[in-house]
Structure formats: C-alpha cells, structure tokens
Amino acid sequence: MMRGQIRQSLSGYYDVMTSDGQEYRTRARGNFRKKKQTPLVGDFVDFKAEKADEGYILGIQSRKNQLVRPPVANVDKAVVVTACVEPDFSANLLDRQLVMLASNGIEPLIYFSKYDLVSTADQRQVLAEIATYYRQYYPTFIPQTPAEQKQVQAELLSELQGQVCVVMGQTGAGKSTLLNQLDPALQLETGEVSKALSRGKHTTRKVSLLDIHGALIADTPGFSSFELSNLTKEDLPRLYPDFQEYATACKFRGCSHIKEPQCAVRDAVASEKIWPSRYENYLQFYKMVVDDEKKKYR
C-alpha cells in the first residue's frame, strides 16, 4: 500500500502524486459510496496500484479542512480574485468569501483584477482606497498598471510558496487569466464576461492542483454565491479582524455588536475607522446566521 496526495479529479478518476514524484491514476473503492465519503483534491490517501493507470484508493487521511465549493481539502491559503469591473466590484461578495475562509481556518489573500479597465479617475481612487482598507487586515494585491503586474504577481507568488492554495472569486473575475499570467505554460481556457448579464461562463472543467513555481494552486470553477453554513452568531464577530481590533473595548464580553450599549465596534463604525459597508454586510450575514439557526431548531 502507498500514500500520496490527490492532485486532480475528473469524472470519477483521481490522479495521486507520491512523495517521490510518481503519479498514479486511481478510482475510489465502492465502500466510499456506502460511507458517503468522496475523495477530494488535496486529500492524502492510501492506495494500491499494480500499474500507473490502474490504482484504487483504500483510505482517506484526516483532513484539516475542506471546501464544498470549490471541492478541495487541506487548504492553507486562498487567493480571492476580486474584479474591479466586468463584473462590478462587490464588497458584499468579497466579505462573504473572507468570512467563509476564516471559518475554515484558511488565510485569504485578496487580488484585485482589471483595475486598468476602470474608466474614470474617481472610480480608480475609490477602488484604491478600498484596497488600502483591506490591506490593513489581509494581504492585498492591486496592480494599478500593466507595468506593475509582474512585480505584484511575483509578490503574490512569494506568499504562496510551499502552500496548498485555492483561487476563487466571482465568475468572470479573471481567475484563469491570473493563473495564465503566473505560469504562461498552463494555457488555461478563459471566458468572456457577458455584458448583458454581468457574469461569466463556467470555463474550468476539472479540479486540479497545479504546481506553479513551488505553490500548489487549485484552479476551480467560478461562481458568485457562497453559503455561510455551519456558522453560529457567536462565531461570526470573531471572523472579522477589523472588529477584533476594537472588540476588547466593548462593555460586554461576547458582544454581538448589534444592540449592546457601549459597543466599541459600533463606535468605530460611526467614526469610519471600520468601513460602514463592512458593518452593513456583517448585519446581513448575522441575520442570515440567526435565521439559519432558527430553521435548525424548529
């Protein structure tokens, strides 16, 4: 029996890489279906293989985390590709992704794409200010000109060395484009964004861990909604690093930052030390979590 890591899944086949660099194409044994288990890209697995293209997965090692969308396990970091335009920037979607990643113990890195396509100086200034705010709490990258692109992307890659990473974001944000720029040999298919619908076509057909200059990066299908499942209303405030900066000064331990008196977080929002949009999104997410909890206990 051998052990390796799943590097690609496609139509029920799993390509497993061993520590000595050998790759085997495998399938999962039928007992996985009975146990309702599905191997994921990023899983460390035990397997047998008489030939390189005829292996069988026998067991899945314990996971430190897993994502449903994208379906990847044991993720260290996530590059959240966030379009400035085409589709338009969405603070709500970005915050939802950041919360979801934090709840899974995954470090987010924000990459703002298509800044050079922003049409007006006022819009460019607003987006630069948005990036500056997020940079206080998350590694944030925003190439403002084509000339800056290579340098910024080199800085991004240095953050990903030796890590298992996902590249995620709204459909049409430019995930495959970014990966092609990081490694032109990939030649990943990219899709045009529909101007009428302001969303892109799903262009990525499989899930793979791509070895890009020492980083294992998953290119995954784009999508525009992220569930905030398995969260509690007590968890949510702790997933905001900017809230945590002020929460210790709240009058009540475990303050939800909703209605409690002498709430330092709400004071910080009022003085715009915390961006009002961040707090507005938090209120929406809090209501979603509370409503979800009510459904579970009905």
Side-chain angles (χ1 to χ4, degrees):
M1 189 161 60
M2 295 180 284
R3 179 170 294 181
Q5 184 183 42
I6 297 175
R7 295 291 181 88
Q8 178 173 285
S9 68
L10 176 64
S11 302
Y13 289 92
Y14 304 93
D15 293 340
V16 179
M17 181 79 72
T18 59
S19 58
D20 61 358
Q22 297 298 309
E23 188 171 87
Y24 297 84
R25 174 147 292 188
T26 67
R27 303 198 74 167
R29 287 289 195 187
N31 60 349
F32 284 107
R33 288 192 294 273
K34 295 177 183 177
K35 296 177 182 177
K36 296 184 178 179
Q37 291 182 326
T38 301
L40 297 176
V41 166
D43 271 332
F44 290 93
V45 296
D46 297 316
F47 70 101
K48 284 185 177 180
E50 297 295 332
K51 299 179 181 178
D53 59 351
E54 294 182 7
Y56 289 93
I57 295 174
L58 303 176
I60 301 172
Q61 299 300 307
S62 178
R63 296 165 176 160
K64 71 176 184 180
N65 58 41
Q66 69 179 80
L67 300 178
V68 177
R69 296 186 301 170
V72 181
N74 301 313
V75 179
D76 301 306
K77 296 184 178 183
V79 180
V80 182
V81 181
T82 303
C84 294
V85 291
E86 298 181 13
D88 291 339
F89 171 72
S90 170
N92 186 279
L93 177 60
L94 175 57
D95 288 346
R96 190 185 299 246
Q97 293 172 88
L98 295 173
V99 167
M100 184 272 289
L101 291 168
S103 71
N104 284 279
I106 299 170
E107 180 185 350
L109 299 88
I110 304 171
Y111 183 89
F112 285 93
S113 64
K114 306 185 183 181
Y115 182 88
D116 57 320
L117 300 182
V118 178
S119 58
T120 71
D122 287 345
Q123 289 175 319
R124 287 195 292 271
Q125 181 177 349
V126 168
L127 287 161
E129 290 172 356
I130 289 170
T132 298
Y133 179 83
Y134 280 97
R135 189 177 286 117
Q136 297 176 75
Y137 305 102
Y138 307 95
T140 299
F141 305 85
I142 179 169
Q144 297 191 18
T145 65
E148 288 183 5
Q149 195 170 80
K150 285 189 177 181
Q151 179 184 343
V152 172
Q153 290 174 357
E155 294 168 0
L156 174 66
L157 266 178
S158 71
E159 293 276 351
L160 305 179
Q161 290 297 301
Q163 308 288 304
V164 172
C165 315
V166 295
V167 175
M168 59 196 304
Q170 188 173 10
T171 303
K175 299 179 298 301
S176 294
T177 297
L178 172 61
L179 286 168
N180 284 335
Q181 290 167 346
L182 294 177
D183 187 351
L186 293 174
Q187 297 185 344
L188 297 173
E189 182 184 0
T190 60
E192 300 246 339
V193 174
S194 164
K195 288 189 169 72
L197 299 176
S198 189
R199 65 171 184 259
K201 299 176 182 178
H202 293 275
T203 57
T204 310
R205 304 302 182 188
K206 61 188 176 183
V207 181
S208 305
L209 281 180
L210 308 169
D211 189 342
I212 300 179
H213 305 298
L216 290 176
I217 304 179
D219 179 37
T220 55
F223 41 86
S224 57
S225 64
F226 293 80
E227 301 295 332
L228 296 177
S229 58
N230 302 319
L231 282 180
T232 69
K233 60 181 182 294
E234 290 78 22
D235 289 332
L236 188 62
R238 295 192 287 268
L239 302 178
Y240 279 74
D242 39 355
F243 288 19
Q244 290 297 95
E245 184 176 343
Y246 299 96
T248 54
C250 290
K251 181 177 181 180
F252 296 102
R253 182 180 296 179
C255 181
S256 69
H257 319 309
I258 306 292
K259 295 180 180 178
E260 297 91 337
Q262 298 181 41
C263 171
V265 169
R266 288 209 313 278
D267 290 344
V269 174
S271 61
E272 296 192 357
K273 294 175 182 176
I274 293 175
W275 272 24
S277 67
R278 284 277 282 175
Y279 185 69
E280 290 166 11
N281 292 335
Y282 168 77
L283 292 178
Q284 179 186 338
F285 301 159
Y286 190 90
K287 183 178 184 303
M288 291 169 61
V289 170
V290 170
D291 289 347
D292 190 52
E293 288 181 348
K294 288 178 180 177
K295 290 178 185 177
K296 289 177 182 178
Y297 292 105
R298 279 178 184 171

